[in-house]
Amino acid sequence: MRKTFVRTSNYERFSAGVAAVENRGAAEAGMMLVYGQPGYGKSEVLTNWAVDAEAVFLRANIDWTPRYFLVELAKALAVDPRGSSEQLFNRMLAVIATQQIPLVIDEAEATLKNHAAVLEKIRDFSDRTETMVVLVGMENIQTGIAKHPQISSRIAQVVEFTPASLEDVAMTCQQLSEVPIAPDLVAEIHRQSAGRMREVMNAIACVERVGLMNGLAEVDMAAVEGMSITHDWRARRPRVVSRKRAA
């Protein structure tokens, strides 16, 4: 598979949200919330954006305390993590403010425990440096954040990641697979994956392998008939390609 980042409709909505935050009216409202079910491509989109924006990307840990978070952030910023929490905070505040470094916090639900103590610390950085903070989580994160008005009032944009459309899947197949994938098989990948990009990627890898091994100019439904290209983790069984079922 080609190592290319595909700009799906979720990416386009996220990019529009970023632009809106960057052009916000209230300087202190510099936070953005991204949420959605697993497999819809949140982490991949945010990881790629973090690289392009030279942002710090951290995955929140359930064991995080404000001090633990500060130390992890210091490591990511290559800042001396020694000293008191106040000294550490001020040291990083100067770096973030001077360089205008955005922060991305994945699995942000973990920052809500203990009355959102960690998220309050993250908010402090956003308020005092006016830099963007992107919080990434599951569907229920909105409910959790809504319990803390001092934080929710700082969120300028909310972006939901939804299932990939057929057009998204077709574009992904075209850009990533080294062997062309026929429209009927693209539709089958979309159907089986239910728009979960994680499963789409796995299916493309499988289909591409069939095409390369057999020297095919294009892989269609007939070429993978009876084969498993995705896996139903809930039912704990592979999903088999069947032209009859697809019809």
Side-chain angles (χ1 to χ4, degrees):
M1 286 176 63
R2 301 186 185 99
K3 301 297 182 182
T4 301
F5 176 66
V6 182
R7 299 189 174 192
T8 62
S9 56
N10 279 324
Y11 170 82
E12 297 297 343
R13 284 197 302 276
F14 170 74
S15 296
V18 168
V21 175
E22 290 176 339
N23 295 298
R24 65 191 182 274
E28 71 277 8
M31 302 180 78
M32 177 176 178
L33 177 63
V34 174
Y35 74 95
Q37 292 185 20
Y40 287 167
K42 299 187 301 297
S43 293
E44 183 181 10
V45 168
L46 269 296
T47 299
N48 277 274
W49 178 79
V51 171
D52 291 341
E54 298 183 339
V56 168
F57 184 101
L58 293 177
R59 182 168 286 106
N61 191 308
I62 193 62
D63 297 327
W64 266 12
T65 61
R67 172 71 185 186
Y68 188 175
F69 158 68
L70 289 175
V71 171
E72 290 293 295
L73 181 58
K75 291 177 182 176
L77 290 170
V79 169
D80 183 359
R82 295 173 296 180
S84 68
S85 293
E86 181 180 3
Q87 290 172 327
L88 184 53
F89 178 84
N90 289 331
R91 202 176 296 143
M92 288 188 292
L93 192 69
V95 172
I96 293 173
T98 301
Q99 301 181 30
Q100 286 293 290
I101 303 172
L103 303 180
V104 178
I105 310 296
D106 198 7
E107 299 186 15
E109 290 89 351
T111 67
L112 292 171
K113 67 174 188 175
N114 296 331
H115 307 290
V118 174
L119 191 49
E120 285 284 7
K121 189 62 65 178
I122 294 169
R123 178 180 69 87
D124 283 344
F125 280 113
S126 179
D127 280 0
R128 296 176 64 176
T129 66
E130 298 182 5
T131 55
M132 185 184 303
V133 171
V134 183
L135 305 173
V136 188
M138 303 282 283
E139 289 179 298
N140 61 355
I141 193 172
Q142 279 190 297
T143 303
I145 291 178
K147 297 176 182 177
H148 307 279
Q150 73 279 16
I151 297 172
S152 60
S153 63
R154 262 73 173 178
I155 295 178
Q157 288 288 311
V158 177
V159 177
E160 179 185 8
F161 271 50
T162 58
S165 65
L166 177 59
E167 291 74 18
D168 287 331
V169 174
M171 181 168 58
T172 304
C173 289
Q174 180 183 30
Q175 293 186 24
L176 297 188
S177 180
E178 295 183 13
V179 180
I181 300 175
D184 64 343
L185 186 50
V186 169
E188 176 67 1
I189 292 172
H190 179 254
R191 185 189 71 80
Q192 286 198 15
S193 67
R196 295 188 185 278
M197 288 304 297
R198 193 173 299 160
E199 294 190 41
V200 171
M201 302 284 278
N202 289 336
I204 292 174
C206 179
V207 168
E208 180 188 74
R209 189 160 52 248
V210 170
L212 292 174
M213 288 178 61
N214 294 282
L216 301 177
E218 181 181 70
V219 186
D220 58 10
M221 286 276 286
V224 292
E225 178 78 19
M227 295 180 58
S228 169
I229 59 172
T230 63
H231 193 91
D232 187 336
W233 296 105
R234 292 182 179 177
R236 298 183 180 179
R237 63 170 182 263
R239 300 187 185 97
V240 175
V241 174
S242 171
R243 283 178 288 179
K244 291 181 180 180
R245 187 180 298 123

